[in-house]
Amino acid sequence: MRRQGGKLSRGCLISVAVLAVALGIAGAVFGPVVAAFARQGFFDRLPDKVEYNASREANLKALYTAMMLYHDSEERFPEGAGWMDAIEARLNTNDLKKGEAAKKLRRPGLADGYGYGLNQAASGKYKDDVPGKPAETALIYESKRTDRNVSGDPKQDLDGLAISVSGQLIPAKRP
């Protein structure tokens, strides 16, 4: 603010007056809307955080989504030796309680361990470079092995469902 002889400059006074009028108009227009929301309890509480209810299909779909988020940012799938570590942060959602997203890495029904594997043929590759038909080629599968970051051949290691490179659930093939 510039003072001329101990007084505020005319431009400064005009700016303050315009700002005061603008704030008054905004308050008159939006004030009733904000008050209505407040009366209805809109600002009283945030939505509750929930626990994750795992199912075989939901876990595979969540793992696929996290894998595709990784793929979109890195332009390739993660390396097999650390694929769970690479996508773990992408499993979090704002509606889950802290630590619940980690349940998506564990196959329901297992006493301990993880129970998922990444098709080694997709390890470190762009999705279009994975051999086979995208709708028929397993990307992540329920594995016979239960250690973390399993990577292998689903033809040898498959123990149930899988999700394809294009996101379709692939049912277990029974003899």
Side-chain angles (χ1 to χ4, degrees):
M1 291 185 212
R2 212 172 201 189
R3 293 184 180 255
Q4 294 176 345
K7 296 181 181 178
L8 291 175
S9 70
R10 184 173 183 191
C12 183
L13 288 174
I14 291 172
S15 298
V16 170
V18 168
L19 181 61
V21 170
L23 288 174
I25 291 171
V29 171
F30 296 110
V33 173
V34 172
F37 277 117
R39 280 192 301 274
Q40 293 177 7
F42 184 79
F43 301 111
D44 290 349
R45 67 181 186 94
L46 296 173
D48 293 331
K49 300 283 184 174
V50 297
E51 290 185 17
Y52 179 69
N53 290 321
S55 73
R56 295 170 65 200
E57 294 84 0
N59 275 12
L60 283 168
K61 288 177 182 178
L63 292 171
Y64 177 81
T65 299
M67 188 69 76
M68 295 314 293
L69 289 170
Y70 181 94
H71 186 278
D72 288 347
S73 67
E74 305 299 321
E75 297 184 351
R76 63 183 178 84
F77 292 121
E79 295 295 328
W83 72 273
M84 284 184 164
D85 304 328
I87 68 166
E88 189 166 17
R90 291 171 170 89
L91 292 169
N92 291 322
T93 56
N94 289 332
D95 64 335
L96 291 178
K97 291 180 180 177
K98 185 174 179 156
E100 289 294 299
K103 289 181 180 178
K104 297 175 184 180
L105 293 170
R106 297 182 183 274
R107 191 165 96 200
L110 286 181
D112 61 348
Y114 295 90
Y116 293 110
L118 172 68
N119 186 343
Q120 185 60 38
S123 177
K125 290 194 174 121
Y126 183 74
K127 63 184 174 185
D128 292 340
D129 295 335
V130 177
K133 295 179 182 176
E136 298 172 6
T137 303
L139 175 63
I140 301 169
Y141 59 92
E142 293 179 335
S143 172
K144 295 174 186 172
R145 297 172 37 206
T146 60
D147 44 318
R148 188 174 171 97
N149 293 313
V150 167
S151 154
D153 181 359
K155 291 177 183 170
Q156 304 297 318
D157 190 34
L158 182 68
D159 187 36
L161 295 174
I163 194 157
S164 72
V165 173
S166 61
Q168 284 87 22
L169 287 173
I170 302 171
K173 293 183 180 170
R174 303 286 180 211

